[in-house]
Amino acid sequence: MDQTLKVLFIISEAEPMIKVGGLGDVGGTLPLALQKLSDRQETETELDIKVVIPYHDHIKQLNWPVEWVINYKIQNRDSFLDVYVSKTLNTDIPIYLLDGEPIRNTDIYSSDTYVDAEKYAFFSCAALELCRALKWTPDVLHAHDWHTAFGVKRLAQIRSFDRLFSKTKSLFTIHNLPYSGGNHPDVLYRYDLQPAYDPAIPDGMRSLPMALGLDSADHISTVSHTYAKEIKTEAFGHGYQFFLQNHSDRVSGILNGILMEQWDPSTDQTLYKNFSAESLDERIHNKRMLQQELWLPQKDETPLFVMIGRMTYQKGFDLCIQALRQMRDLNWQLIVLGTGEESIQKACVALANEFPDRVRVEIKYDSLLSKRLYAGGDLFLMPSRYEPCGIAQMISMLFGCVPVAHATGGLTDTIKDPEDYPDAYTGFLFADTDIQAAEWAMRRSLTYFADKPQWREIQKRGMRQDFSWEKSAKEYIELYRKLSACPASSD
Ligand code: ADP
């Protein structure tokens, strides 16, 4: 090992303390994967990584064991604000929990964008100042999504005169571009943050936190190669496409991984019956129990579709709902698990009312049921209109539930369709974002399902995929190394 690379990793969620979506998976598992690589001395670089998240009320309610680390103050234009920092015990690596007035008595994400802007501006600026309090100089600030973009901007503004950060570089990872944060110039003013300068960012968007992060990061990454290309187009760029095209050399994709041991049907104690690629016969017990538990006819031969996720327009549930209506001539069952927008919940319930002997809808967040669905379903529907990476499709493959998905972002990068991989396909993709395309792919998948030996091969190939963080974590370390070796520029 030739050096120690210090990384300040700031993010709004990290499991197991807090997970709202895939961001929480990344916050909890990527730092762990990075640390493991470093501990096993598999890279030339030793890592010293500090993960910092807000001490959300939700985490306090868990009574997670923590130890106090330090208190300090940060200054904004109005006043000095107290910052209280604790550190988790009983986690694989310690997570720094940052607390203060703008964080207290708030939801993880508020429906009021002003409350969120204040909370995350405070969090991001205070997280940078934690380095000063700890007398620890980071080589790289790795920030994620709009919530922590304020920190990227602040770093760019201060490093020309602030010796602590004079050599610190920033990496800004986009997990979901359309979520830009609220437009609140007065919050920026209060925290002394300038709007984005770049002329390729539309005027009305310059004060959005996402714009701040993009404009001032030394490097921008996103969570799959395909999404890195898609965000440079009008359809996926949400107004940032010209900026991203102009700065193409600063934009790259690194696919998210998952903790493979966390998603292993051969050991998972919550399943009705464990199974592996070598004992696929056992898997059917999970389907039977699931059908029984949800009062569906217990039929092995009836293909069971499952759909799990946040009920938002992004996830495209509506496409499959309508496609299934048009497939009433075929034999199928469907179980939906999710929460979210009322109109989508209603659309799912309407389908269940229309097909009472075929469709079940569970409106809730339920990790246990989600695993039983991955283990018992035959086909996993993921018709996302866009999907920066997505982990649900990876989990479904590892559990032998074959994905049928829209060919976008990380879905394109992780699912192999028979047309492109005639000898190695793991699922089914459709190119156009419409009901006909979804229906065509679902019908196509059912013809494969009908051929049992062939279906087993698809399941086995999916279950043997390597979605671990290993490769991606190495790519992040390489990027950190490259960044830290470049001379710093100032804003
Ligand atoms: P996103 O981050 O956009 O929500 P991902 O596919 O990256 O989508 O991650 C979703 C994760 O959340 C998966 O682990 C999925 O199983 C889980 N999940 C989503 N909705 C539910 C739910 N209602 N109950 C249980 N788990 C859920």
Side-chain angles (χ1 to χ4, degrees):
M1 302 228 178
D2 58 2
Q3 57 168 317
T4 299
L5 233 164
K6 299 196 206 79
V7 180
L8 177 66
F9 192 102
I10 59 174
I11 192 160
S12 55
E13 309 172 25
E15 62 142 10
M17 264 85 53
I18 188 95
K19 170 180 158 175
V20 175
L23 190 62
D25 287 286
V26 175
T29 57
L30 172 57
L32 197 59
L34 291 166
Q35 195 62 60
K36 275 187 185 162
L37 274 185
S38 168
D39 293 347
R40 295 204 308 256
Q41 308 200 338
E42 283 184 24
T43 61
E44 288 167 38
T45 314
E46 193 178 340
L47 271 191
D48 175 4
I49 181 161
K50 292 199 193 307
V51 183
V52 189
I53 66 172
Y55 202 169
H56 299 287
D57 283 0
H58 180 91
I59 303 178
K60 289 174 198 145
Q61 284 153 19
L62 295 177
N63 286 324
W64 199 281
V66 299
E67 69 179 9
W68 172 81
V69 176
I70 201 163
N71 296 350
Y72 52 94
K73 287 180 193 293
I74 66 165
Q75 188 178 9
N76 70 14
R77 280 185 195 265
D78 294 341
S79 57
F80 285 93
L81 300 167
D82 288 307
V83 185
Y84 310 91
V85 184
S86 319
K87 190 161 83 167
T88 56
L89 302 168
N90 301 354
T91 43
D92 292 314
I93 55 172
I95 311 268
Y96 288 80
L97 301 167
L98 210 146
D99 204 5
E101 206 49 46
I103 291 176
R104 290 184 179 160
N105 304 316
T106 61
D107 290 330
I108 302 156
Y109 306 116
S110 165
S111 50
D112 181 340
T113 60
Y114 194 88
V115 171
D116 264 3
E118 181 77 38
K119 171 177 177 171
Y120 286 106
F122 168 78
F123 167 70
S124 304
C125 296
L128 261 190
E129 288 307 307
L130 173 64
C131 300
R132 202 181 314 281
L134 297 177
K135 302 188 175 57
W136 182 83
T137 307
D139 297 296
V140 177
L141 165 68
H142 189 176
H144 300 261
D145 268 355
W146 75 262
H147 325 100
T148 54
F150 305 97
V152 178
K153 185 71 186 179
R154 181 155 190 85
L155 173 68
Q157 284 179 200
I158 63 176
R159 66 183 167 187
S160 63
F161 57 83
D162 190 328
R163 287 184 59 191
L164 186 78
F165 296 111
S166 63
K167 294 199 170 112
T168 306
K169 307 296 168 29
S170 58
L171 170 61
F172 182 54
T173 300
I174 306 168
H175 297 259
N176 205 332
L177 187 63
Y179 291 82
S180 262
N183 197 353
H184 298 295
D186 55 326
V187 174
L188 301 192
Y189 175 78
R190 199 157 49 255
Y191 284 86
D192 216 357
L193 296 165
Q194 286 139 19
Y197 300 125
D198 196 291
I201 296 177
D203 280 347
M205 295 170 63
R206 286 169 194 273
S207 294
L208 296 177
M210 181 64 85
L212 265 58
L214 296 176
D215 186 42
S216 46
D218 294 305
H219 193 85
I220 296 162
S221 73
T222 184
V223 289
S224 69
H225 300 280
T226 299
Y227 195 57
K229 288 185 208 141
E230 287 174 340
I231 54 177
K232 291 174 198 148
T233 65
E234 197 181 338
F236 294 89
H238 286 269
Y240 299 111
Q241 61 272 20
F242 298 118
F243 172 86
L244 293 165
Q245 286 163 20
N246 293 349
H247 298 281
S248 224
D249 55 329
R250 281 208 267 138
V251 183
S252 60
I254 300 180
L255 191 69
N256 279 345
I258 55 178
L259 269 192
M260 298 280 282
E261 56 271 29
Q262 213 175 61
W263 303 107
D264 182 352
S266 72
T267 55
D268 195 316
Q269 292 304 306
T270 62
L271 303 187
Y272 295 117
K273 187 90 187 171
N274 291 117
F275 60 94
S276 68
E278 286 67 45
S279 60
L280 258 182
D281 281 344
E282 305 294 331
R283 190 176 188 277
I284 193 69
H285 298 293
N286 290 288
K287 178 171 174 178
R288 289 178 191 150
M289 289 302 292
L290 195 57
Q291 287 169 324
Q292 187 183 18
E293 192 186 328
L294 294 178
W295 301 91
L296 279 169
Q298 253 187 328
K299 290 186 184 156
D300 292 356
E301 299 312 314
T302 302
L304 173 58
F305 289 108
V306 298
M307 199 150 61
I308 304 172
R310 290 181 293 114
M311 289 175 166
T312 63
Y313 181 72
Q314 175 199 344
K315 296 291 173 182
F317 279 26
D318 49 306
L319 302 175
C320 284
I321 289 173
Q322 193 51 30
L324 282 166
R325 264 196 193 101
Q326 295 174 188
M327 291 165 61
R328 61 178 69 234
D329 56 307
L330 297 178
N331 196 17
W332 50 261
Q333 293 176 341
L334 168 73
I335 303 174
V336 183
L337 169 64
T339 52
E341 289 166 25
E342 207 177 318
S343 60
I344 303 174
Q345 295 183 19
K346 280 188 178 156
C348 292
V349 172
L351 189 77
N353 291 338
E354 213 172 313
F355 296 93
D357 54 346
R358 297 195 196 197
V359 179
R360 294 292 176 268
V361 176
E362 298 288 322
I363 306 286
K364 57 181 174 179
Y365 191 96
D366 185 338
S367 310
L368 183 110
L369 181 58
S370 76
K371 286 189 189 181
R372 291 183 172 171
L373 290 175
Y374 289 122
D378 297 306
L379 299 117
F380 187 75
L381 298 176
M382 200 150 169
S384 310
R385 290 190 161 79
Y386 71 94
E387 193 60 74
C389 179
I391 63 164
Q393 81 282 10
M394 301 189 212
I395 302 169
S396 78
M397 281 185 265
L398 296 176
F399 277 65
C401 188
V402 177
V404 182
H406 179 215
T408 181
L411 300 175
T412 305
D413 293 0
T414 51
I415 299 170
K416 298 183 180 120
D417 184 90
E419 283 191 4
D420 300 319
Y421 298 89
D423 301 320
Y425 52 96
T426 55
F428 302 89
L429 291 169
F430 54 96
D432 297 327
T433 323
D434 59 40
I435 296 159
Q436 280 63 36
E439 181 186 344
W440 171 77
M442 288 157 74
R443 284 187 183 270
R444 194 163 60 112
S445 69
L446 293 187
T447 62
Y448 283 79
F449 178 77
D451 180 340
K452 285 293 156 247
Q454 183 171 239
W455 192 253
R456 293 215 144 203
E457 287 312 306
I458 310 176
Q459 287 179 300
K460 282 185 192 172
R461 279 198 291 270
M463 294 178 76
R464 290 179 178 142
Q465 297 290 302
D466 180 3
F467 295 124
S468 68
W469 269 112
E470 193 102 352
K471 182 166 172 284
S472 308
K474 281 183 182 155
E475 289 177 46
Y476 274 114
I477 293 181
E478 203 39 50
L479 191 52
Y480 293 158
R481 272 161 55 93
K482 269 196 200 143
L483 273 171
S484 64
C486 294
S489 60
S490 56
D491 216 22

